[in-house]
Amino acid sequence: MVLFKVDGSLLVVALGNAVRVYDTQTGALVAALQHGSSVVRDIDANAASRHVASVADDKTVFVWNVDSGKVVLTQVFPKKLTTVLLVGSLCKRGGCLLYTSDAADDL
């Protein structure tokens, strides 16, 4: 599975457990991120706040600061998730709000 997300000046690509962030103007690699050993299922980005979020099969959500490449938030959920939404305006003030939805793993 390959995932793409474009938000202004950022192109975020996920393949397997790797997340790569590119500058849309220059094509340059901005950050190379690793989401543990699990397959990434969804990504989101906010160019204004310079944060990227990913959710993987291991039930974790990571939020990274694109400039430092460091994880600023890790959250583990009791069920697998399919969607992550990063509300970037909150990241600018030091906190990130994530919206997630449960996978249909009970079907």
Side-chain angles (χ1 to χ4, degrees):
M1 174 186 297
V2 179
L3 303 168
F4 296 93
K5 173 70 179 184
V6 178
D7 183 45
S9 63
L10 298 179
L11 166 65
V12 184
V13 180
L15 177 61
N17 65 342
V19 178
R20 302 291 183 256
V21 182
Y22 298 90
D23 183 298
T24 57
Q25 299 297 313
T26 66
L29 179 66
V30 176
L33 314 168
Q34 196 81 14
H35 191 121
S37 60
S38 289
V39 174
V40 173
R41 292 295 171 196
D42 194 30
I43 50 178
D44 199 16
N46 187 283
S49 70
R50 306 290 291 175
H51 286 84
V52 171
S54 65
V55 61
D57 279 344
D58 63 0
K59 305 175 189 172
T60 61
V61 173
F62 288 165
V63 177
W64 285 280
N65 177 289
V66 171
D67 297 319
S68 70
K70 295 187 185 221
V71 174
V72 296
L73 176 69
T74 302
Q75 189 162 357
V76 180
F77 289 84
K79 293 177 111 180
K80 284 186 181 180
L81 306 171
T82 57
T83 307
V84 62
L85 175 62
L86 177 60
V87 181
S89 61
L90 294 173
C91 289
K92 287 189 227 178
R93 295 192 300 261
C96 297
L97 180 61
L98 300 169
Y99 292 94
T100 57
S101 63
D102 289 314
D105 58 359
D106 292 332
L107 298 177

